[in-house]
Amino acid sequence: MTDPLNQSPDNPTSISADAEVAESLGLIHDRIAAAASAAGRPAEDVTLVAVSKVQPADRVRAACRAGHRVFGENRVQEAMQRWPDLRAELPEIRLHLIGPLQTNKVREAVGFFDVVESVDRPKLARKIASESEVAGRRPACLIQVNTGEEPQKAGVVPGEAEALIALCRDDLGLDLRGLMCIPPFDESPAPHFALLRELARDNGLRELSMGMSGDFEEAIRFGATMVRVGTAIFGARHNP
Ligand SMILES: *Cc1c(COP(=O)(O)O)cnc(C)c1O
């Protein structure tokens, strides 16, 4: 039997990647547990989405070997190259799409991802609904909210979020679970986390995907149920 997780014995970088990634994952889990406990929440309320975009394959395999199973990718194409082998071996792996989704990639995304976190406009929501029907497969969805109303950033603006929630849930029958945000890099994230929490609460949505390497503990204080952590687990990304 072939095992894609099996490292070659003559690959020392892979051995040190194993130790490093396992240690980082352990530390992040400890920090999540402490932040949850400080907020009076059970640690199991918070899912760690390990953001593997652009990371080398040996580090991603190391996370799998350490027992991690939930990963985030921001590009459909990159994810579809990286994951099929690992997922064949470990069917319990769950993949979240956390990056912007073009309508011409929806068919592939619906067939491939377990969670689409970046639903942010009616046209995209409609396409996800129709392709889900064709595929007979319905990914869980989150609506991305552009809480900072930044013109260059994806996400629905807060003022239009309720209409999009209603469209997704009531008209299109998407499996809508919650909301996601990426606060502006140059501002304190707290008001943005608070706004997302309030929007979710007002609309009866449970999941809150917020918090990254630099601010996931604060996000947990504000009720995050999914934190998306990349560099703090895998190390710095070397963008191509
Ligand atoms: C890259 C990325 C992350 C992870 O960022 P880190 O700072 O590396 O933890 C989280 N969310 C989204 C949407 C991303 O694109």
Side-chain angles (χ1 to χ4, degrees), residues 49-51 53 55 73-74 97-100 117 144 180-182 185 209 211-214 216 227-233 235 237:
V49 179
V51 177
K53 65 179 182 195
Q55 295 289 351
E73 291 281 353
N74 72 335
L97 179 62
I98 61 173
E117 298 202 13
Q144 181 176 352
M180 180 269 242
C181 76
I182 309 169
F185 291 111
S209 174
M212 317 198 328
S213 289
F216 68 88
V227 292
R228 309 178 307 269
V229 179
T231 50
I233 296 171
R237 280 183 293 275

PDB file of all heavy atoms in Angstrom, residues 49-51 53 55 73-74 97-100 117 144 180-182 185 209 211-214 216 227-233 235 237, ligand 1:
ATOM      1  N   VAL A  49      -8.709  26.223  11.533  1.00  0.00           N
ATOM      2  CA  VAL A  49      -8.553  26.016  10.090  1.00  0.00           C
ATOM      3  C   VAL A  49      -7.101  26.363   9.756  1.00  0.00           C
ATOM      4  O   VAL A  49      -6.694  27.519   9.851  1.00  0.00           O
ATOM      5  CB  VAL A  49      -9.531  26.904   9.293  1.00  0.00           C
ATOM      6  CG1 VAL A  49      -9.346  26.703   7.786  1.00  0.00           C
ATOM      7  CG2 VAL A  49     -10.976  26.641   9.702  1.00  0.00           C
ATOM      8  N   ALA A  50      -6.317  25.354   9.411  1.00  0.00           N
ATOM      9  CA  ALA A  50      -4.897  25.574   9.118  1.00  0.00           C
ATOM     10  C   ALA A  50      -4.774  26.047   7.667  1.00  0.00           C
ATOM     11  O   ALA A  50      -5.122  25.313   6.737  1.00  0.00           O
ATOM     12  CB  ALA A  50      -4.107  24.286   9.325  1.00  0.00           C
ATOM     13  N   VAL A  51      -4.314  27.279   7.507  1.00  0.00           N
ATOM     14  CA  VAL A  51      -4.280  27.871   6.167  1.00  0.00           C
ATOM     15  C   VAL A  51      -2.996  27.452   5.453  1.00  0.00           C
ATOM     16  O   VAL A  51      -1.906  27.931   5.759  1.00  0.00           O
ATOM     17  CB  VAL A  51      -4.410  29.406   6.248  1.00  0.00           C
ATOM     18  CG1 VAL A  51      -4.293  30.024   4.852  1.00  0.00           C
ATOM     19  CG2 VAL A  51      -5.749  29.790   6.886  1.00  0.00           C
ATOM     20  N   LYS A  53      -2.335  27.577   2.105  1.00  0.00           N
ATOM     21  CA  LYS A  53      -2.024  28.209   0.801  1.00  0.00           C
ATOM     22  C   LYS A  53      -0.538  28.526   0.700  1.00  0.00           C
ATOM     23  O   LYS A  53       0.065  29.004   1.659  1.00  0.00           O
ATOM     24  CB  LYS A  53      -2.837  29.498   0.645  1.00  0.00           C
ATOM     25  CG  LYS A  53      -2.462  30.568   1.668  1.00  0.00           C
ATOM     26  CD  LYS A  53      -3.250  31.858   1.503  1.00  0.00           C
ATOM     27  CE  LYS A  53      -2.770  32.879   2.530  1.00  0.00           C
ATOM     28  NZ  LYS A  53      -3.694  34.006   2.693  1.00  0.00           N
ATOM     29  N   GLN A  55       2.048  27.057   1.010  1.00  0.00           N
ATOM     30  CA  GLN A  55       3.037  26.391   1.873  1.00  0.00           C
ATOM     31  C   GLN A  55       3.606  25.152   1.175  1.00  0.00           C
ATOM     32  O   GLN A  55       2.901  24.484   0.420  1.00  0.00           O
ATOM     33  CB  GLN A  55       2.399  25.990   3.201  1.00  0.00           C
ATOM     34  CG  GLN A  55       1.945  27.168   4.043  1.00  0.00           C
ATOM     35  CD  GLN A  55       3.094  27.966   4.637  1.00  0.00           C
ATOM     36  OE1 GLN A  55       4.255  27.564   4.564  1.00  0.00           O
ATOM     37  NE2 GLN A  55       2.774  29.123   5.219  1.00  0.00           N
ATOM     38  N   GLU A  73      -7.692  26.945   1.992  1.00  0.00           N
ATOM     39  CA  GLU A  73      -6.949  27.321   0.780  1.00  0.00           C
ATOM     40  C   GLU A  73      -7.628  28.535   0.177  1.00  0.00           C
ATOM     41  O   GLU A  73      -8.852  28.665   0.269  1.00  0.00           O
ATOM     42  CB  GLU A  73      -6.974  26.165  -0.242  1.00  0.00           C
ATOM     43  CG  GLU A  73      -6.158  24.948   0.171  1.00  0.00           C
ATOM     44  CD  GLU A  73      -4.656  25.127  -0.064  1.00  0.00           C
ATOM     45  OE1 GLU A  73      -4.251  26.144  -0.679  1.00  0.00           O
ATOM     46  OE2 GLU A  73      -3.886  24.233   0.370  1.00  0.00           O
ATOM     47  N   ASN A  74      -6.858  29.414  -0.480  1.00  0.00           N
ATOM     48  CA  ASN A  74      -7.537  30.573  -1.044  1.00  0.00           C
ATOM     49  C   ASN A  74      -7.678  30.532  -2.557  1.00  0.00           C
ATOM     50  O   ASN A  74      -8.312  31.409  -3.122  1.00  0.00           O
ATOM     51  CB  ASN A  74      -6.918  31.889  -0.562  1.00  0.00           C
ATOM     52  CG  ASN A  74      -5.575  32.148  -1.186  1.00  0.00           C
ATOM     53  OD1 ASN A  74      -4.897  31.196  -1.585  1.00  0.00           O
ATOM     54  ND2 ASN A  74      -5.182  33.405  -1.272  1.00  0.00           N
ATOM     55  N   LEU A  97     -12.658  26.814   1.432  1.00  0.00           N
ATOM     56  CA  LEU A  97     -12.212  27.846   0.500  1.00  0.00           C
ATOM     57  C   LEU A  97     -12.355  29.195   1.202  1.00  0.00           C
ATOM     58  O   LEU A  97     -13.460  29.586   1.593  1.00  0.00           O
ATOM     59  CB  LEU A  97     -13.051  27.831  -0.784  1.00  0.00           C
ATOM     60  CG  LEU A  97     -12.664  28.913  -1.803  1.00  0.00           C
ATOM     61  CD1 LEU A  97     -11.231  28.731  -2.299  1.00  0.00           C
ATOM     62  CD2 LEU A  97     -13.642  28.926  -2.984  1.00  0.00           C
ATOM     63  N   ILE A  98     -11.224  29.896   1.372  1.00  0.00           N
ATOM     64  CA  ILE A  98     -11.251  31.162   2.122  1.00  0.00           C
ATOM     65  C   ILE A  98     -10.937  32.359   1.230  1.00  0.00           C
ATOM     66  O   ILE A  98     -10.909  33.488   1.703  1.00  0.00           O
ATOM     67  CB  ILE A  98     -10.261  31.117   3.309  1.00  0.00           C
ATOM     68  CG1 ILE A  98      -8.832  30.908   2.814  1.00  0.00           C
ATOM     69  CG2 ILE A  98     -10.662  30.030   4.303  1.00  0.00           C
ATOM     70  CD1 ILE A  98      -7.792  31.031   3.919  1.00  0.00           C
ATOM     71  N   GLY A  99     -10.673  32.119  -0.056  1.00  0.00           N
ATOM     72  CA  GLY A  99     -10.345  33.217  -0.964  1.00  0.00           C
ATOM     73  C   GLY A  99     -11.496  33.537  -1.896  1.00  0.00           C
ATOM     74  O   GLY A  99     -12.480  32.802  -1.955  1.00  0.00           O
ATOM     75  N   PRO A 100     -11.376  34.653  -2.612  1.00  0.00           N
ATOM     76  CA  PRO A 100     -12.440  35.074  -3.531  1.00  0.00           C
ATOM     77  C   PRO A 100     -12.738  33.998  -4.569  1.00  0.00           C
ATOM     78  O   PRO A 100     -11.833  33.312  -5.043  1.00  0.00           O
ATOM     79  CB  PRO A 100     -11.869  36.319  -4.216  1.00  0.00           C
ATOM     80  CG  PRO A 100     -10.653  36.706  -3.458  1.00  0.00           C
ATOM     81  CD  PRO A 100     -10.207  35.538  -2.661  1.00  0.00           C
ATOM     82  N   GLU A 117     -16.179  29.789   2.367  1.00  0.00           N
ATOM     83  CA  GLU A 117     -16.286  30.871   3.355  1.00  0.00           C
ATOM     84  C   GLU A 117     -16.451  32.246   2.717  1.00  0.00           C
ATOM     85  O   GLU A 117     -16.582  33.229   3.424  1.00  0.00           O
ATOM     86  CB  GLU A 117     -15.038  30.887   4.258  1.00  0.00           C
ATOM     87  CG  GLU A 117     -14.835  29.630   5.080  1.00  0.00           C
ATOM     88  CD  GLU A 117     -13.944  29.887   6.300  1.00  0.00           C
ATOM     89  OE1 GLU A 117     -13.693  31.054   6.651  1.00  0.00           O
ATOM     90  OE2 GLU A 117     -13.490  28.882   6.896  1.00  0.00           O
ATOM     91  N   GLN A 144     -18.988  36.224   3.425  1.00  0.00           N
ATOM     92  CA  GLN A 144     -17.874  37.108   3.795  1.00  0.00           C
ATOM     93  C   GLN A 144     -18.377  38.542   3.838  1.00  0.00           C
ATOM     94  O   GLN A 144     -18.955  39.045   2.868  1.00  0.00           O
ATOM     95  CB  GLN A 144     -16.735  36.978   2.783  1.00  0.00           C
ATOM     96  CG  GLN A 144     -15.546  37.866   3.137  1.00  0.00           C
ATOM     97  CD  GLN A 144     -14.357  37.679   2.206  1.00  0.00           C
ATOM     98  OE1 GLN A 144     -14.354  36.773   1.354  1.00  0.00           O
ATOM     99  NE2 GLN A 144     -13.358  38.527   2.354  1.00  0.00           N
ATOM    100  N   MET A 180     -18.029  35.386   7.781  1.00  0.00           N
ATOM    101  CA  MET A 180     -16.559  35.457   7.821  1.00  0.00           C
ATOM    102  C   MET A 180     -16.137  36.902   7.588  1.00  0.00           C
ATOM    103  O   MET A 180     -16.823  37.632   6.868  1.00  0.00           O
ATOM    104  CB  MET A 180     -15.997  34.547   6.736  1.00  0.00           C
ATOM    105  CG  MET A 180     -14.480  34.510   6.635  1.00  0.00           C
ATOM    106  SD  MET A 180     -13.797  35.718   5.494  1.00  0.00           S
ATOM    107  CE  MET A 180     -13.025  34.628   4.304  1.00  0.00           C
ATOM    108  N   CYS A 181     -15.030  37.330   8.221  1.00  0.00           N
ATOM    109  CA  CYS A 181     -14.492  38.654   7.887  1.00  0.00           C
ATOM    110  C   CYS A 181     -12.974  38.666   7.970  1.00  0.00           C
ATOM    111  O   CYS A 181     -12.358  37.814   8.626  1.00  0.00           O
ATOM    112  CB  CYS A 181     -15.075  39.755   8.783  1.00  0.00           C
ATOM    113  SG  CYS A 181     -14.410  39.820  10.451  1.00  0.00           S
ATOM    114  N   ILE A 182     -12.394  39.615   7.245  1.00  0.00           N
ATOM    115  CA  ILE A 182     -10.963  39.909   7.315  1.00  0.00           C
ATOM    116  C   ILE A 182     -10.851  41.402   7.628  1.00  0.00           C
ATOM    117  O   ILE A 182     -11.023  42.226   6.735  1.00  0.00           O
ATOM    118  CB  ILE A 182     -10.252  39.611   5.973  1.00  0.00           C
ATOM    119  CG1 ILE A 182     -10.582  38.205   5.467  1.00  0.00           C
ATOM    120  CG2 ILE A 182      -8.738  39.806   6.118  1.00  0.00           C
ATOM    121  CD1 ILE A 182     -10.113  37.957   4.026  1.00  0.00           C
ATOM    122  N   PHE A 185      -6.024  45.693   7.771  1.00  0.00           N
ATOM    123  CA  PHE A 185      -4.754  45.354   8.413  1.00  0.00           C
ATOM    124  C   PHE A 185      -4.265  46.433   9.365  1.00  0.00           C
ATOM    125  O   PHE A 185      -3.532  46.160  10.304  1.00  0.00           O
ATOM    126  CB  PHE A 185      -3.690  45.069   7.343  1.00  0.00           C
ATOM    127  CG  PHE A 185      -3.963  43.794   6.601  1.00  0.00           C
ATOM    128  CD1 PHE A 185      -4.335  43.820   5.268  1.00  0.00           C
ATOM    129  CD2 PHE A 185      -3.888  42.560   7.241  1.00  0.00           C
ATOM    130  CE1 PHE A 185      -4.623  42.639   4.575  1.00  0.00           C
ATOM    131  CE2 PHE A 185      -4.166  41.382   6.563  1.00  0.00           C
ATOM    132  CZ  PHE A 185      -4.535  41.426   5.228  1.00  0.00           C
ATOM    133  N   SER A 209     -16.295  32.914  11.394  1.00  0.00           N
ATOM    134  CA  SER A 209     -14.918  32.674  10.980  1.00  0.00           C
ATOM    135  C   SER A 209     -14.170  33.989  11.028  1.00  0.00           C
ATOM    136  O   SER A 209     -14.350  34.858  10.167  1.00  0.00           O
ATOM    137  CB  SER A 209     -14.885  32.089   9.561  1.00  0.00           C
ATOM    138  OG  SER A 209     -13.532  31.988   9.118  1.00  0.00           O
ATOM    139  N   GLY A 211     -10.327  35.901  12.801  1.00  0.00           N
ATOM    140  CA  GLY A 211      -9.083  35.718  13.529  1.00  0.00           C
ATOM    141  C   GLY A 211      -8.079  34.969  12.673  1.00  0.00           C
ATOM    142  O   GLY A 211      -8.405  33.934  12.075  1.00  0.00           O
ATOM    143  N   MET A 212      -6.848  35.535  12.595  1.00  0.00           N
ATOM    144  CA  MET A 212      -5.756  34.936  11.840  1.00  0.00           C
ATOM    145  C   MET A 212      -4.551  34.830  12.794  1.00  0.00           C
ATOM    146  O   MET A 212      -4.707  34.949  14.001  1.00  0.00           O
ATOM    147  CB  MET A 212      -5.443  35.773  10.598  1.00  0.00           C
ATOM    148  CG  MET A 212      -6.734  36.217   9.915  1.00  0.00           C
ATOM    149  SD  MET A 212      -6.673  36.792   8.195  1.00  0.00           S
ATOM    150  CE  MET A 212      -5.119  37.550   7.992  1.00  0.00           C
ATOM    151  N   SER A 213      -3.353  34.606  12.238  1.00  0.00           N
ATOM    152  CA  SER A 213      -2.203  34.376  13.120  1.00  0.00           C
ATOM    153  C   SER A 213      -2.031  35.470  14.173  1.00  0.00           C
ATOM    154  O   SER A 213      -1.694  35.183  15.319  1.00  0.00           O
ATOM    155  CB  SER A 213      -0.914  34.274  12.296  1.00  0.00           C
ATOM    156  OG  SER A 213      -0.904  33.070  11.563  1.00  0.00           O
ATOM    157  N   GLY A 214      -2.255  36.726  13.766  1.00  0.00           N
ATOM    158  CA  GLY A 214      -1.954  37.838  14.668  1.00  0.00           C
ATOM    159  C   GLY A 214      -3.049  38.184  15.657  1.00  0.00           C
ATOM    160  O   GLY A 214      -2.806  38.956  16.596  1.00  0.00           O
ATOM    161  N   PHE A 216      -6.025  35.792  16.536  1.00  0.00           N
ATOM    162  CA  PHE A 216      -7.067  34.775  16.741  1.00  0.00           C
ATOM    163  C   PHE A 216      -7.551  34.703  18.183  1.00  0.00           C
ATOM    164  O   PHE A 216      -8.708  34.368  18.440  1.00  0.00           O
ATOM    165  CB  PHE A 216      -6.609  33.400  16.219  1.00  0.00           C
ATOM    166  CG  PHE A 216      -5.489  32.750  16.981  1.00  0.00           C
ATOM    167  CD1 PHE A 216      -5.745  31.939  18.069  1.00  0.00           C
ATOM    168  CD2 PHE A 216      -4.174  32.955  16.578  1.00  0.00           C
ATOM    169  CE1 PHE A 216      -4.706  31.332  18.770  1.00  0.00           C
ATOM    170  CE2 PHE A 216      -3.133  32.355  17.273  1.00  0.00           C
ATOM    171  CZ  PHE A 216      -3.391  31.553  18.376  1.00  0.00           C
ATOM    172  N   VAL A 227     -11.088  29.790  13.497  1.00  0.00           N
ATOM    173  CA  VAL A 227      -9.974  30.721  13.318  1.00  0.00           C
ATOM    174  C   VAL A 227      -9.109  30.192  12.175  1.00  0.00           C
ATOM    175  O   VAL A 227      -8.901  28.989  12.042  1.00  0.00           O
ATOM    176  CB  VAL A 227      -9.151  30.914  14.615  1.00  0.00           C
ATOM    177  CG1 VAL A 227      -9.973  31.644  15.673  1.00  0.00           C
ATOM    178  CG2 VAL A 227      -8.640  29.591  15.165  1.00  0.00           C
ATOM    179  N   ARG A 228      -8.653  31.112  11.330  1.00  0.00           N
ATOM    180  CA  ARG A 228      -7.903  30.733  10.125  1.00  0.00           C
ATOM    181  C   ARG A 228      -6.442  31.123  10.331  1.00  0.00           C
ATOM    182  O   ARG A 228      -6.094  32.292  10.252  1.00  0.00           O
ATOM    183  CB  ARG A 228      -8.472  31.456   8.901  1.00  0.00           C
ATOM    184  CG  ARG A 228      -9.991  31.322   8.731  1.00  0.00           C
ATOM    185  CD  ARG A 228     -10.458  32.124   7.522  1.00  0.00           C
ATOM    186  NE  ARG A 228     -10.008  33.507   7.554  1.00  0.00           N
ATOM    187  CZ  ARG A 228     -10.677  34.534   8.082  1.00  0.00           C
ATOM    188  NH1 ARG A 228     -11.876  34.346   8.598  1.00  0.00           N
ATOM    189  NH2 ARG A 228     -10.172  35.740   8.079  1.00  0.00           N
ATOM    190  N   VAL A 229      -5.607  30.145  10.623  1.00  0.00           N
ATOM    191  CA  VAL A 229      -4.231  30.439  11.014  1.00  0.00           C
ATOM    192  C   VAL A 229      -3.259  29.791  10.030  1.00  0.00           C
ATOM    193  O   VAL A 229      -3.293  28.568   9.829  1.00  0.00           O
ATOM    194  CB  VAL A 229      -3.967  29.923  12.445  1.00  0.00           C
ATOM    195  CG1 VAL A 229      -2.521  30.213  12.854  1.00  0.00           C
ATOM    196  CG2 VAL A 229      -4.934  30.581  13.435  1.00  0.00           C
ATOM    197  N   GLY A 230      -2.412  30.615   9.414  1.00  0.00           N
ATOM    198  CA  GLY A 230      -1.439  30.114   8.453  1.00  0.00           C
ATOM    199  C   GLY A 230      -0.015  30.190   8.970  1.00  0.00           C
ATOM    200  O   GLY A 230       0.568  29.191   9.410  1.00  0.00           O
ATOM    201  N   THR A 231       0.562  31.392   8.944  1.00  0.00           N
ATOM    202  CA  THR A 231       1.990  31.523   9.231  1.00  0.00           C
ATOM    203  C   THR A 231       2.365  31.059  10.643  1.00  0.00           C
ATOM    204  O   THR A 231       3.465  30.542  10.837  1.00  0.00           O
ATOM    205  CB  THR A 231       2.458  32.981   9.033  1.00  0.00           C
ATOM    206  OG1 THR A 231       1.582  33.851   9.724  1.00  0.00           O
ATOM    207  CG2 THR A 231       2.460  33.357   7.576  1.00  0.00           C
ATOM    208  N   ALA A 232       1.495  31.215  11.605  1.00  0.00           N
ATOM    209  CA  ALA A 232       1.836  30.794  12.963  1.00  0.00           C
ATOM    210  C   ALA A 232       1.950  29.269  13.078  1.00  0.00           C
ATOM    211  O   ALA A 232       2.533  28.753  14.025  1.00  0.00           O
ATOM    212  CB  ALA A 232       0.816  31.333  13.974  1.00  0.00           C
ATOM    213  N   ILE A 233       1.419  28.550  12.100  1.00  0.00           N
ATOM    214  CA  ILE A 233       1.583  27.095  12.090  1.00  0.00           C
ATOM    215  C   ILE A 233       2.729  26.675  11.175  1.00  0.00           C
ATOM    216  O   ILE A 233       3.595  25.893  11.553  1.00  0.00           O
ATOM    217  CB  ILE A 233       0.282  26.404  11.602  1.00  0.00           C
ATOM    218  CG1 ILE A 233      -0.864  26.665  12.576  1.00  0.00           C
ATOM    219  CG2 ILE A 233       0.509  24.895  11.434  1.00  0.00           C
ATOM    220  CD1 ILE A 233      -2.221  26.190  12.041  1.00  0.00           C
ATOM    221  N   GLY A 235       4.896  28.733   9.229  1.00  0.00           N
ATOM    222  CA  GLY A 235       5.995  29.638   8.951  1.00  0.00           C
ATOM    223  C   GLY A 235       5.614  30.607   7.846  1.00  0.00           C
ATOM    224  O   GLY A 235       4.521  30.530   7.294  1.00  0.00           O
ATOM    225  N   ARG A 237       5.052  32.603   4.480  1.00  0.00           N
ATOM    226  CA  ARG A 237       4.754  32.162   3.109  1.00  0.00           C
ATOM    227  C   ARG A 237       5.746  32.802   2.153  1.00  0.00           C
ATOM    228  O   ARG A 237       6.075  33.973   2.294  1.00  0.00           O
ATOM    229  CB  ARG A 237       3.344  32.607   2.702  1.00  0.00           C
ATOM    230  CG  ARG A 237       2.244  31.736   3.225  1.00  0.00           C
ATOM    231  CD  ARG A 237       0.894  32.199   2.730  1.00  0.00           C
ATOM    232  NE  ARG A 237       0.526  33.498   3.289  1.00  0.00           N
ATOM    233  CZ  ARG A 237      -0.072  33.667   4.476  1.00  0.00           C
ATOM    234  NH1 ARG A 237      -0.352  32.628   5.213  1.00  0.00           N
ATOM    235  NH2 ARG A 237      -0.357  34.860   4.906  1.00  0.00           N
TER     236      ARG A 237
HETATM  237  C1  LIG B   1      -3.872  33.814   4.241  1.00  0.00           C
HETATM  238  C2  LIG B   1      -5.149  33.939   4.958  1.00  0.00           C
HETATM  239  C3  LIG B   1      -5.255  33.655   6.340  1.00  0.00           C
HETATM  240  C4  LIG B   1      -4.067  33.237   7.200  1.00  0.00           C
HETATM  241  O1  LIG B   1      -3.262  34.328   7.485  1.00  0.00           O
HETATM  242  P1  LIG B   1      -2.031  34.192   8.528  1.00  0.00           P
HETATM  243  O2  LIG B   1      -1.742  35.595   8.883  1.00  0.00           O
HETATM  244  O3  LIG B   1      -0.948  33.519   7.784  1.00  0.00           O
HETATM  245  O4  LIG B   1      -2.514  33.399   9.667  1.00  0.00           O
HETATM  246  C5  LIG B   1      -6.491  33.740   6.929  1.00  0.00           C
HETATM  247  N1  LIG B   1      -7.587  34.096   6.223  1.00  0.00           N
HETATM  248  C6  LIG B   1      -7.537  34.384   4.905  1.00  0.00           C
HETATM  249  C7  LIG B   1      -8.786  34.746   4.198  1.00  0.00           C
HETATM  250  C8  LIG B   1      -6.324  34.321   4.236  1.00  0.00           C
HETATM  251  O5  LIG B   1      -6.288  34.606   2.921  1.00  0.00           O
END
